């Protein structure tokens, strides 16, 4: 009869939705991190950061010191080219009068502060009070970390450049040494072989990093972590400039 047929379109089944033949919607529960898991993860990140950050910071500092050393070496070379030109084309220690180098160098450099000379000057940036040693400066250390007890190479002229680099000179009895704190007197480590480096004008008129062949200090005891030489570190300039592994081994 007329009412016996049923339309498939009206059939609904188990799991069907509100409409015909509509598949049942799956309800999923999204899982998240518990507070304990978050705290543990943050703790691990913190430990890793604490372990790696000092290494990254130290590496960055070494790169900055290396760049500043090369910059200052270049500055000194340019200054000595000017001084050689002023002297007729060449310059040797015998051409430089005692305690005159400071004034001559400063003419060609951007000087922020004149620190005097250093010998028996209590108000010098680094004072060498050799007649009363307990009043001498204690700013600087040797390569192996001891106080530099002899300041004789630092007390014939001192000045600070506009970028903070600090210069100390040996300009007496024919020896010409230029020692530079490449990141400034007020920044650590204030240590030979790290931020303090020495150069020499040799008798042949060559400006060389101390430790190079032809300079006065080439022995390994003057650039060794195990040496107790009072000038340990004075010969590190050459290694710092020419040895590609020097800085990463500090």
């Amino acid at each position: 009869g007329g009412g016996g047929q049923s339309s498939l379109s009206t059939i609904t089944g188990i799991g069907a939705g509100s409409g015909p033949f509509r598949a049942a919607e799956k309800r999923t529960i999204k899982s998240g991190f518990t507070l304990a898991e978050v705290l543990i993860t943050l703790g691990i990140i913190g430990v890793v950061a604490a372990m790696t950050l000092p290494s990254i910071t130290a590496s960055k500092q070494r790169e900055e010191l290396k760049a500043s050393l090369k910059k200052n070496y270049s500055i000194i070379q340019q200054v000595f080219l000017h001084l050689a030109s002023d002297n007729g084309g060449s310059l040797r220690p015998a051409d430089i009068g005692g305690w005159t180098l400071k004034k001559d160098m400063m003419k060609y450099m951007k000087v922020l502060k004149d620190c005097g000379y250093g010998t028996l000057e209590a108000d010098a940036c680094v004072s060498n009070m050799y007649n009363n040693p307990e009043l001498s400066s204690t700013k600087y250390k040797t390569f192996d970390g001891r106080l530099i007890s002899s300041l004789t190479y630092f007390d014939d002229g001192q000045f600070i450049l506009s970028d903070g680099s600090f210069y100390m000179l040996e300009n007496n009895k024919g020896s010409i040494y230029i020692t530079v704190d490449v990141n400034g007197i007020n920044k650590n480590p204030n240590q030979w072989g790290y931020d303090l480096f020495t150069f020499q004008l040799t008798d042949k008129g060559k400006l060389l990093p101390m430790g190079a062949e032809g300079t006065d200090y080439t022995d390994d005891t003057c650039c060794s972590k195990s040496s107790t030489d009072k000038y340990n570190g004075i010969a590190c300039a050459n290694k710092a400039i020419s040895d590609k592994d020097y800085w990463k081994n500090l």
Side-chain angles (χ1 to χ4, degrees):
Q5 288 185 339
S6 64
S7 172
L8 289 176
S9 63
T10 63
I11 297 175
T12 60
I14 297 174
S18 57
F21 282 98
R22 190 169 173 183
E25 294 180 0
K26 280 190 176 181
R27 294 191 178 186
T28 58
I29 299 175
K30 294 183 178 180
S31 60
F33 292 108
T34 66
L35 178 59
E37 289 171 331
V38 171
L39 292 176
I40 290 171
T41 301
L42 290 176
I44 292 171
I45 293 172
V47 169
V48 172
M51 292 172 63
T52 58
L53 191 58
S55 176
I56 294 172
T57 302
S59 178
K60 181 175 181 293
Q61 183 189 40
R62 287 194 295 267
E63 286 301 314
E64 290 173 350
L65 293 174
K66 180 181 178 180
S68 188
L69 168 61
K70 291 182 176 180
K71 174 186 173 183
N72 277 281
Y73 185 26
S74 177
I75 289 172
I76 299 169
Q77 288 175 316
Q78 293 302 312
V79 168
F80 273 78
L81 284 174
H82 283 296
L83 297 181
S85 178
D86 292 345
N87 193 56
S90 64
L91 187 70
R92 292 177 172 80
D95 300 322
I96 303 172
W99 288 33
T100 62
L101 180 61
K102 171 189 164 184
K103 175 176 63 69
D104 292 340
M105 288 184 68
M106 287 174 61
K107 289 189 303 184
Y108 297 106
M109 306 176 89
K110 295 179 179 179
V111 176
L112 177 67
K113 180 179 179 181
D114 183 342
C115 292
Y117 286 87
T119 301
L120 301 179
E121 294 177 336
D123 59 348
C125 290
V126 171
S127 56
N128 183 13
M129 309 293 285
Y130 59 81
N131 63 343
N132 201 356
E134 63 270 18
L135 298 179
S136 288
S137 174
T138 57
K139 278 280 186 183
Y140 289 102
K141 296 173 288 189
T142 60
F143 190 50
D144 57 305
R146 293 171 295 112
L147 178 69
I148 295 178
S149 58
S150 176
L151 302 175
T152 187
Y153 294 154
F154 301 163
D155 64 356
D156 293 337
Q158 302 173 1
F159 52 88
I160 298 173
L161 299 189
S162 58
D163 68 354
S165 301
F166 175 46
Y167 281 65
M168 298 178 285
L169 309 178
E170 167 63 13
N171 173 204
N172 194 18
K173 297 180 181 178
S175 295
I176 300 295
Y177 300 163
I178 303 96
T179 298
V180 190
D181 183 339
V182 298
N183 68 343
I185 190 172
N186 294 318
K187 290 185 180 180
N188 289 329
N190 285 350
Q191 190 169 355
W192 248 333
Y194 286 79
D195 59 348
L196 189 70
F197 298 94
T198 300
F199 301 87
Q200 179 181 356
L201 180 67
T202 70
D203 290 338
K204 293 183 178 180
K206 292 183 177 180
L207 181 72
L208 299 174
M210 194 69 82
E213 185 178 353
T215 60
D216 291 343
Y217 292 91
T218 57
D219 195 89
D220 284 343
T221 59
C222 290
C223 186
S224 168
K225 291 287 184 66
S226 60
S227 172
T228 57
D229 190 282
K230 69 178 180 178
Y231 295 126
N232 185 20
I234 193 173
C236 289
N238 186 57
K239 290 183 178 180
I241 290 172
S242 61
D243 185 346
K244 63 183 179 63
D245 294 325
Y246 178 85
W247 290 95
K248 68 182 181 182
N249 290 332
L250 279 182

